[in-house]
Amino acid sequence: MLIKIVPAVVLLVVTVIGFTYDSLLRDMDQAAKAYSQGDPEAALTRYEKIEQRLGSLGALRLIPVKDRRNLILNQARLLYALGRYDDALERINRETEIGGGSNNDGRFLRLKGEIAFRKAMKNYRESPQKDSRLLEEALHAAEDSMRDSLRLNPSDWDGKYNFEYVNFVRNLMNQNQQGKIKILMENVRVEQQRPPALPADLSP
């Protein structure tokens, strides 16, 4: 009797997990839809709830890597769009902790560089001291991340533009005081740019 019951229980568990995962994928589609409709807060809330559900099931490491990375990357992109740069970086680091994969995915590296750039420009513009050394260090880190991203995704034209722009700003830093003033006045494309569309294909 026990031999017959155990396979039935296993089948039931697998079926329940399958239904739950299908539901999560639908929720991910709904989150992407909310973002495309201009509601990043609603999209972020959906993604966070999805991650909480996966965490409660102990399944975050068990779902396909592609879906987990999209889930975490999309949260980071939304936080980035909302100006919550530290929270966005925390999400990127979470993928490294879970799967060790953010440093071999060009999308994560590009976003990491963009976060570093935006944060550096924001801090420089808002700081009364205008510490050029700190800005230079932050821009160098942003440039490194974008360069690593392009090594993995050499055909990413937006990534190439952003890399060249960071390099342009760094060159301004090496000019006279007028160049530094221009940084403060420059309408930075990356600063104003909306993050790219969230991945449409969220299925395994």
Side-chain angles (χ1 to χ4, degrees):
M1 179 65 69
L2 182 60
I3 295 176
K4 294 181 179 179
I5 292 176
V6 171
V9 171
V10 171
L11 178 60
L12 177 61
V13 170
V14 171
T15 301
V16 170
I17 292 175
F19 281 128
T20 301
Y21 188 57
D22 285 342
S23 174
L24 291 173
L25 289 177
R26 288 194 296 272
D27 286 344
M28 290 171 75
D29 288 338
Q30 289 299 313
K33 183 178 180 180
Y35 175 81
S36 67
Q37 293 174 343
D39 194 348
E41 290 88 354
L44 179 61
T45 298
R46 280 186 174 274
Y47 281 123
E48 288 175 339
K49 288 181 178 179
I50 292 169
E51 185 173 352
Q52 289 171 4
R53 288 174 63 188
L54 288 170
S56 67
L57 295 171
L60 197 56
R61 287 181 168 84
L62 302 179
I63 65 173
V65 173
K66 175 185 175 182
D67 290 330
R68 187 190 69 234
R69 287 187 178 180
N70 280 340
L71 173 62
I72 293 176
L73 178 64
N74 290 350
Q75 289 183 68
R77 282 174 167 169
L78 289 165
L79 290 164
Y80 167 74
L82 294 169
R84 294 167 56 183
Y85 304 133
D86 290 334
D87 291 336
L89 188 58
E90 184 273 332
R91 292 301 194 283
I92 292 175
N93 292 335
R94 184 180 301 174
E95 169 58 22
T96 302
E97 295 171 2
I98 294 173
S102 69
N103 287 330
N104 58 23
D105 189 321
R107 301 171 303 165
F108 282 88
L109 289 167
R110 173 182 161 184
L111 182 58
K112 188 175 181 179
E114 290 171 349
I115 291 169
F117 177 75
R118 283 194 177 201
K119 188 175 179 180
M121 296 300 295
K122 181 176 183 291
N123 290 343
Y124 185 75
R125 287 169 174 168
E126 294 179 355
S127 172
Q129 285 79 25
K130 301 293 182 292
D131 192 327
S132 300
R133 180 183 57 83
L134 291 178
L135 176 59
E136 170 66 20
E137 290 176 357
L139 292 177
H140 185 73
E143 192 176 49
D144 285 346
S145 292
M146 291 181 179
R147 183 184 295 108
D148 290 341
S149 171
L150 289 172
R151 288 195 182 105
L152 295 170
N153 294 330
S155 61
D156 180 3
W157 293 106
D158 284 338
K160 288 180 179 180
Y161 181 97
N162 290 347
F163 174 78
E164 293 297 333
Y165 198 92
V166 172
N167 184 261
F168 164 73
V169 174
R170 287 191 65 203
N171 288 335
L172 284 181
M173 289 298 302
N174 294 326
Q175 296 178 11
N176 55 23
Q177 188 65 26
Q178 191 66 29
K180 296 175 183 178
I181 292 174
K182 187 176 181 181
I183 290 176
L184 297 176
M185 303 301 294
E186 185 73 31
N187 183 19
V188 181
R189 175 183 183 271
V190 180
E191 186 76 14
Q192 302 295 332
Q193 181 186 26
R194 186 180 185 183
L198 300 178
D201 182 9
L202 299 176
S203 59

